[in-house]
Amino acid sequence: MDVIANVPGVSEIANYVITFIKGQIGYISSYQENLQKLITEVQTLKDTQDGVQHRVVEAERNGDKIENIVQNWLKNANEIVAAANKVIDVEGDRWCLGQYCPYLWTRCQLSKSFEKMTKEISDVKEKGKFDSISYRDAPDVTITPFSRGYEALESRTSMLNEIKEILKDPKMYMIGVHGMGGVGKTTLVNELAWQVKKDGLFVAVAIANITNSPNVKRIQGQIADALLDRKLEKETEGGRATELRQRIKKQEKVLIILDDIWSELDLTEVGIPFGDEHNGCKLVITSREREVLIKMDTQKDFNLTALLEEDSWNLFQKIAGNVVNEVSIKPIAEEVAKCCAGLPLLITAVSKGLKKKEVHAWRVALKQLKEFKHKELENNVYPALKLSYDFLDTEELKSLFLFIGSFGLNEIRTEDLFRCCWGLGFYGGVDKLMEARDTHYTLINELRASSLLLEGELDWVRMHDVVRDVAKSIASKSPPTDPTYPTYADQFRKCHYITSESLTEVRDDNVFSGMGEAMTLSVYKMSFTPFLPPSLNILISLRSLNLNSCILGDIRIVAELSNLEILSLAGSSIAKLPEEIKHLTRLRLLNLTHCDSLRVIPTNLLSGLMCLEELYMSGCYNIEWEVEGRKSDSNNANVRELQNLHNLTTLEISFKDTSVLPMDFQFPANLKRYDILIGSWQLFYLWYVGGLERTLKLTGNWWTSRSLFNTVEELSFAELKGVKDLYDLDVEGFPRLKHLYIQDNYELLHLINPRRLVNPHSAFLNLETLVLDDLCKMEEICHGPMQTQSFAKLKVIKVTSCDGLKNLFLYSLTGNLPQLRQMQISNCRGMTEIIAMERQEDRKELQQIVLPELHSVTLQGLPELQSFYCSVTVDQGNPSSQSISLALFNQQVVTPKLETLELYGMKVCKIWDDKLSVHSCFQNLTHLRITRCNHLTSLFSCGVTRALVKLQHVMISSCERLKMLFAQEEVEFPNSEIVEISIMNDWESIRPNQVPPNSFHHKLVIYIDRCESMDFVFPISAAKELRQHQFLEIRSCGIKNIFEKSDMTHVYLEKIIVKECTGMKTIIPSCVLFQFLAELIVFSCHTLLNIIRPSTTTSLPKLRILRIRGCNELEEICGSSNEGDGAVLDEIAFMKLEELTLNNLPRLTSFCQGSYDFRFPSLQIVRLENCPMMETFCQGNITTPSLTKVEYGGYDYRDEDHWYGDLNTTVRTVFTKKYRDMEKLVIGDNRNLQSIWPNQVIPYSFPNLTQIDICSCKGQYVFPIHVAKVLRKLQVLKISSCTIENIVEESDSTCDMTVVYLEVRYCQYMMTIVPSSVQFHSLDELHVSRCHGLVNIIMPSTIANLPNLRILMISECDELEEVYGSNNESDEPLGEIAFMKLEELTLKYLPWLKSFCQGSYNFKFPSLQKVHLKDCPMMETFCHGNLTTTSHIEVRCLYVSSNEESEDHWDGDLNTTIRTIFTKKVHINQTSGS
């Protein structure tokens, strides 16, 4: 052995082999545990996935868009769960039977795969913790003001601009707008909201409509929906106000518009922080009366008056159209416009009403309007709107208008309104619901066209409050002209619409008494348990009953309403439909949408509703349908009952379990509208269009039901089986299909084969959207040339993960794409070109490819793509041919309307061909985004930049070879007035040193992210050209300075944001004058020692806002050291500074440590959060005449204000009160924090500190020795996820810490727990877990430092071989080692622990009562020396192969007991293995 040991390299090999074998044994011994962990993690991920999916469904129901990261996570979760189930199935199907696997190598490999898969699932699960999953669409900045309902008239535009300027003033927070009804207040503030959001003036904007009957909960809900990611959770008004206030205060810039206030509103009661409470929250309030604004204490009021005569005529003329220019009508029209008194509401209503009328109608209108001329200005509202009402063509329109006004609501769902109207018999002359609904929507659109209803979403009906008041007035004065109609008052009494902001429990049995004549009843958010009130049965005339979003018990009484034709229980909680419902023989509509709790529908109930025309059951996934051929004792309905509903024209239904549908099942043939989902609904979360009448979503084999394919408008397939060509589904070519989605298919070869079609001219004639996802076998979209009509209406195509596709379209098809607007292709690894020729020889005859309407192109992850269209053939076998550098776009492809181009992970060398005529191709390009395109060396050539006249946004990210924007130094930047550039690339600077004059004459917004090699952003020559540059953001870069060092330079930056730049020592260099800089924001720059030096403060004359956050090493803002020998400053002045925010700066001791005097004449806001070491503001005198408070917040504060006469006194007083009295200190998530305690801080500043919790911090130790010595009251110390090696700084001196409870977790670099320099004489409990660097816990030389240790718990320390270290100690014998107070010892999940101590020491445990071991497979004995303990100890051991603890063991002494347990375990394993 000695000879072998001396052979070079043998010992290393032996050690490697031993280590390897240890690892494999560990996997074998942990097999069952790893399997169980995997199964548990899979189930936990499924639960998380279900939770996220439920939130997605709810968000989509609320009209929100789902974030891409959430959609991708759900897809990844699906895939990894499927993969994990396969791994688990392998375990069950092959060799592993019961709890053991006889094939050890297989057992080892499976255990490895279990562990690896568990970690992957755990990672996916962690990524599924989304604070927010959805968003509301940002305002469409491409639509015109007029199409938004706003006409840019001079008087309105000037007021709008003035309001916007005032909103920029930090002192102004509440603005009022008043004016008579109809003058345009709502339109003005809606436009204001749109503009400030578009311009970035506010991060979030909310509009709440108050009305003359303010409902606080509804107002809170409107604000929360607009500003926040989720709805308010509290029920009470006060609780919701507190929650809303807290959430608003977390947002930096918020605008809240309170529209149409009639009386004073308590903003505190609503929960709106304003003024000093939250300077970033601003309010705009509108009212008819200025007195209301005075009571609201607005700071600036605007009186919105009627339009001037010229503006009135221009608006009138624009709406009425060319008819007003006819000779006979123009003079009358001018008089009519004058009679509208300059009120936009009236101008709009009257001009629309007369738009298509003859001259006699104009004369009548003028006569009626002039009769009211003598009245006051606002009184003109009634006659003008009455005129619009009189011009309504039919009595139906008039009745519907007055009925909508009678509700007293600003908005109501169009469908709810329809059901009310049907119940009241408004459409009595129409026999079918669908025909009546068509009439209803037509009438609604006519009312919108007459401006008596507001424009907006089709699903909602909205009426201006002025119009509503007029409708009520007309209804009370004028009986209908048609004698067949009952009086309006009689009609309205028969409609009851009851809603609640939150769930209300109904206990009154007589709640419906007094409604005997009711014909329609709508109730929302009520709880009727255990049954509906008996008084419901008196409503014998009821035709429409809506019990939506209610909690329902027994509803059998509904069956007594024999005249009922509409019954809606949408969104309600109900477990079973009563069998008696089938007695509603007149029922035409049954709505059970999203009745998630519904499980039982009795047999023959549905088929008994013979008059049923519309059935809504989407989202009812838990119904226990009867399955044919399966024995069951239940009495549930069978889906075949649907086939007996011969009058059914509308069906919305979902089947999660496809087994309930017989393979020969056909849906009713008379369906005109349907939305049918069959299979796993999670597969379709990506695809949602809405607004279509015929939708199918199918999985697996359910394409065999073909009866609806000829009429379907939106079709989704997932996991399609048995189909290689969609001809197999519909030989007619889907003539009415508008949207097609196919995903997760492994058989489909092509979408369509024209040769197989019955009529080759009919394929996809109306298709607008085509989405293909994960079709790995697909070779072509079209197998051969298509007829010219096919795909003629295609607007959007998205193709993802179709690796077999070599191209997207054949050349012959490109002429069929006149409407194509959006193209998105990603992760198609075989695609070489977007457009291809059918035959190579045809390339010689190629005409230009023109895509006239293409607006957006996104190409991602296409490694083989050479060009959009390869105009030359590249011979892969010819080296000279391979060297040809193809451009993505060449002169053969023309896209004149392209606005957005996004490239991700592409291998293209050039984007534009040098010969490209960009004036005909890219003159409308506004957005360019390039990411991970590692073959690009430059972005713009000379000719290209001159033509990109509209380019506004450029984003460059992670392109390894791209080192500059421009190919040549003489190239100028594009000619756009405002350009936004985002650079996330490793550049040395933004452009070369020789910058042509006027290259940066634009207004620029520049974002720079992850440029590690960048020493500075701008060379000095470029800095001098920044004449209009407004905004610069730098993030995660290696820069040391913003500008190259040189002589003094002036720059025109207005705002700078610097985030996570670890190379910077200071922000404001001495060589640059920032004479226009207004905002400076610095986040997470952990190497910063200061922000500004005293000598550079004069270079910031206009600095207004200074915010510093999360800079872990920052000890002062205004640096007092490293200054030159220049003139000494007596006073440092920040003349314009209004806001100073310091947040999460753990080492900040003061604004400046030098003895300077400071003057802040404009300072109004000082916020301090989580600055635990800030004991004073500055060392010298300070002047702050405008400051009256300091806002404190953070971990250890409630959000509160303090003021003790001056800023220095305030900071010192708060520090004394908060920190000197502090009992608990929490420091978390500071991974760049090198040490916690700055050298300048006097440690006895924390005399009462009893607990310290430290998480995710970086550094070698927690305490310097001088701090550890003086924390005399510290009792609890918890350390987790830190990189520390020792708790206390290594030192020659010793200290005694008073810690009673010590917990160390996830500290993998920890070398030892109890260092020799620290005595823990008071330590009672020691808990150590997942510290994988530890080889022992206690050293022999430190045992005396733990005299009172009572509980010792150690778990999951993978490298731990012994608790009490026996190595690296002196040879001096220690005699007997005593743990005098130790009562409990727990050792868990320690795979390499062999014994408590491997040395031959004698141990004494006079107080030990419990020893618990779990999964310590190598622990053969307790210790190797003599052992003295109490006479009996409770010893329990959890075996690896079982989840049950063993009984109490005791074999006379602890060593013998441990050996016996180990021997039994070995025997069990050997028995299992045989």
Side-chain angles (χ1 to χ4, degrees), residues 806-807 831-837 839-840 842-844 846 849 864-874 876 884 886-893 908:
K806 301 293 184 184
N807 57 71
M831 187 169 290
T832 59
E833 55 187 335
I834 308 300
I835 299 168
M837 293 298 300
R839 298 174 302 172
Q840 288 296 324
D842 292 339
R843 293 184 186 272
K844 299 177 182 178
L846 178 70
I849 299 168
E864 300 300 320
L865 187 73
Q866 300 175 32
S867 180
F868 203 89
Y869 168 75
C870 294
S871 57
V872 297
T873 303
V874 177
Q876 297 295 330
I884 297 175
L886 295 177
L888 183 61
F889 293 97
N890 55 45
Q891 61 269 28
Q892 296 299 133
V893 181
V908 293

Side-chain angles (χ1 to χ4, degrees), residues 588-619:
R588 295 169 178 262
L589 184 153
L590 177 60
N591 186 2
L592 304 173
T593 302
H594 290 296
C595 290
D596 301 334
S597 304
L598 184 61
R599 294 185 176 278
V600 178
I601 299 177
T603 186
N604 297 325
L605 187 154
L606 293 176
S607 58
L609 302 174
M610 298 303 297
C611 291
L612 201 65
E613 298 175 28
E614 300 184 3
L615 177 60
Y616 301 90
M617 298 180 66
S618 62

Side-chain angles (χ1 to χ4, degrees), residues 325-525:
N325 293 318
E326 293 180 13
V327 176
S328 59
I329 291 179
K330 185 172 183 178
I332 305 173
E334 290 174 343
E335 289 296 313
V336 169
K338 290 177 184 178
C339 290
C340 290
L343 298 179
L345 177 67
L346 306 188
I347 294 170
T348 304
V350 172
S351 57
K352 282 189 176 181
L354 293 169
K355 189 172 185 177
K356 296 181 180 179
K357 303 296 182 182
E358 300 297 330
V359 65
H360 64 270
W362 283 84
R363 283 197 292 265
V364 171
L366 179 59
K367 181 176 182 298
Q368 292 180 358
L369 286 171
K370 279 186 173 181
E371 289 176 359
F372 299 96
K373 189 173 181 181
H374 64 281
K375 296 188 178 183
E376 296 295 330
L377 188 62
E378 192 163 358
N379 288 341
N380 283 34
V381 172
Y382 178 86
L385 291 177
K386 177 67 163 57
L387 180 65
S388 294
Y389 167 79
D390 290 338
F391 273 117
L392 293 175
D393 293 331
T394 66
E395 194 63 34
E396 276 185 320
L397 269 176
K398 293 178 180 179
S399 297
L400 182 58
F401 167 70
L402 298 179
F403 182 56
I404 295 170
S406 73
F407 274 89
L409 300 173
N410 289 315
E411 60 184 17
I412 183 173
R413 286 191 177 276
T414 312
E415 183 64 22
D416 289 352
L417 179 64
F418 166 71
R419 292 171 188 173
C420 290
C421 290
W422 177 272
L424 292 174
F426 270 31
Y427 307 115
V430 181
D431 186 51
K432 297 293 184 182
L433 281 174
M434 182 174 288
E435 295 175 12
R437 184 180 284 102
D438 290 341
T439 300
H440 177 76
Y441 276 80
T442 300
L443 295 177
I444 292 294
N445 287 333
E446 287 188 32
L447 289 176
R448 287 195 181 106
S450 301
S451 289
L452 293 174
L453 291 180
L454 297 174
E455 297 289 345
E457 304 162 74
L458 295 178
D459 292 340
W460 287 90
V461 174
R462 295 182 171 91
M463 181 177 281
H464 194 286
D465 58 321
V466 174
V467 179
R468 188 176 65 243
D469 292 344
V470 171
K472 290 181 179 178
S473 177
I474 294 173
S476 65
K477 296 176 182 177
S478 306
T481 57
D482 187 342
T484 62
Y485 274 76
T487 66
Y488 298 122
D490 289 340
Q491 286 288 85
F492 301 157
R493 279 200 297 269
K494 296 177 182 179
C495 173
H496 295 272
Y497 191 91
I498 307 169
T499 185
S500 172
E501 290 296 322
S502 59
L503 194 65
T504 302
E505 188 171 357
V506 178
R507 299 181 180 273
D508 184 2
D509 288 347
N510 298 313
V511 66
F512 299 121
S513 298
M515 301 183 187
E517 296 183 1
M519 300 178 70
T520 175
L521 174 63
S522 298
V523 180
Y524 295 82
K525 294 186 179 179

Side-chain angles (χ1 to χ4, degrees), residues 1155-1174:
S1155 300
Y1156 299 102
D1157 294 340
F1158 283 90
R1159 186 155 60 96
F1160 298 91
S1162 304
L1163 190 61
Q1164 301 175 44
I1165 300 170
V1166 174
R1167 293 192 186 100
L1168 302 178
E1169 297 183 10
N1170 303 323
C1171 300
M1173 304 301 175
M1174 191 166 181

